């Protein structure tokens, strides 16, 4: 059974619209993260949450807003979508907080903005 | 990719041969993770390392924090080893991992 669930698997959006990417982990982990993988760029760290609190934000744009309704949920809301936002978005989690622990990645949501 | 440099960028291996991948860090890495991204895009954990070495089956990895590098050795390559290998480092100043650009490995019969 998948331990980190990301929904949807694929997403097509129009420029200017808003989408929410869902992530749920069933590993009992206390920290969750979002990363982005764009073409020809390294995977980029975006956010980390620990016990539902924002710990680190490396995303310049306020159009990206993480939302945590439960400890094992960390959704990503993206507003005013642009074609440059097209990427695969990975959710990850780790047992330990503070980043000093193995991070496990979900299967990703592939977003295409037209 | 500047903070974590992976080499080579691509590698073609015959089944049964051995090879090594390398990551050099320009950040003060404290831990390293190695991943294999399969053709479907899933990232599979291979190793989590503090300075030292680990071995798992045909894979062996080492991390030297003083010399700022990590290596991944593939022994007796198999077709299912094909994919893109990423190393990622963490330092004491960030929560997230800093990734390299990856090494694309193709294993042929």
């Amino acid at each position: 059974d998948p331990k980190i669930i990301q929904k949807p698997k694929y997403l097509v959006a129009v420029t200017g619209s808003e989408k929410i990417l869902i992530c749920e982990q069933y590993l009992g982990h206390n920290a969750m993260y979002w990363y982005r993988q764009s073409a020809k760029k390294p995977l980029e760290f975006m956010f980390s949450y620990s016990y539902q609190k924002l710990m680190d934000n490396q995303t310049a744009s306020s159009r990206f807003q993480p939302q945590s309704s439960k400890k094992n949920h960390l959704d990503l809301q993206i507003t005013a979508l642009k074609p440059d936002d097209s990427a695969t978005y990975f959710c990850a989690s780790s047992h330990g907080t503070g980043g000093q622990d193995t991070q496990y990645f979900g299967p990703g949501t592939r977003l295409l903005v037209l | 990719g500047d903070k974590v440099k992976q080499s080579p960028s691509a590698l073609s291996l015959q089944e049964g041969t051995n090879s090594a991948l390398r990551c050099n860090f320009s950040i003060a890495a404290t831990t390293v993770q190695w991943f294999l991204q399969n053709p479907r895009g899933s990232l599979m954990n291979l190793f989590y390392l503090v300075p030292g070495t680990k071995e798992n089956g045909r894979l062996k990895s080492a991390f030297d924090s003083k010399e700022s590098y990590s290596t991944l050795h593939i022994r007796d390559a198999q077709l299912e080893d094909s994919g893109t290998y990423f190393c990622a480092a963490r330092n004491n100043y960030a929560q997230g991992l800093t990734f390299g650009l990856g090494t694309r490995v193709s294993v042929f019969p």
Side-chain angles (χ1 to χ4, degrees):
Chain A
D1 289 336
K3 301 296 186 186
I4 301 180
I5 296 172
Q6 288 191 244
K7 293 184 239 183
K9 204 174 204 179
Y10 302 99
L11 190 53
V12 179
V14 296
T15 298
S17 66
E18 171 184 315
K19 292 292 179 188
I20 295 181
L21 280 55
I22 306 292
C23 178
E24 305 168 6
Q25 55 92 2
Y26 296 94
L27 294 163
H29 287 170
N30 301 308
M32 295 184 72
Y33 312 83
W34 277 102
Y35 289 81
R36 173 172 54 196
Q37 186 176 34
S38 308
K40 299 186 181 178
K41 284 187 179 179
L43 265 142
E44 300 169 278
F45 167 67
M46 300 177 73
F47 299 98
S48 71
Y49 265 65
S50 175
Y51 293 100
Q52 293 183 264
K53 290 185 181 176
L54 179 66
M55 299 301 291
D56 195 359
N57 177 356
Q58 296 293 321
T59 302
S61 174
S62 59
R63 295 187 299 107
F64 294 84
Q65 290 293 326
Q67 299 170 343
S68 181
S69 59
K70 298 180 191 177
K71 194 180 91 169
N72 69 326
H73 281 234
L74 185 65
D75 300 337
L76 181 64
Q77 180 186 39
I78 314 174
T79 56
L81 278 160
K82 302 177 180 179
D84 274 354
D85 297 331
S86 298
T88 300
Y89 290 81
F90 288 97
C91 173
S93 69
S94 65
H95 180 72
T97 61
Q100 291 287 10
D101 204 352
T102 308
Q103 292 184 23
Y104 296 87
F105 282 67
T109 291
R110 195 170 289 182
L111 172 65
L112 176 62
V113 183
L114 302 173
Chain B
D2 288 346
K3 295 178 181 176
V4 177
K5 286 192 177 175
Q6 289 193 240
S7 60
S9 57
L11 191 56
S12 197
L13 289 175
Q14 187 165 33
E15 253 186 319
T17 60
N18 306 330
S19 192
L21 285 57
R22 186 176 174 105
C23 278
N24 290 309
F25 308 115
S26 58
I27 56 173
T30 53
T31 62
V32 172
Q33 280 191 244
W34 282 91
F35 299 88
L36 170 58
Q37 187 168 40
N38 64 24
R40 284 177 297 137
S42 295
L43 282 162
M44 298 187 297
N45 274 30
L46 298 177
F47 292 103
Y48 170 86
L49 294 156
V50 293
T53 61
K54 280 191 179 176
E55 194 163 353
N56 185 3
R58 296 178 294 100
L59 299 179
K60 183 176 180 179
S61 186
F63 170 37
D64 186 328
S65 58
K66 289 181 183 175
E67 299 297 324
S68 299
Y69 75 91
S70 179
T71 55
L72 177 69
H73 292 261
I74 304 172
R75 176 174 55 81
D76 184 25
Q78 302 296 305
L79 297 176
E80 61 264 28
D81 295 333
S82 296
T84 303
Y85 289 78
F86 289 99
C87 67
R90 199 195 156 273
N91 64 25
N92 285 330
Y93 304 104
Q95 296 274 320
L97 295 167
T98 302
F99 280 78
L101 283 169
T103 295
R104 183 171 291 183
V105 172
S106 302
V107 182
F108 61 93

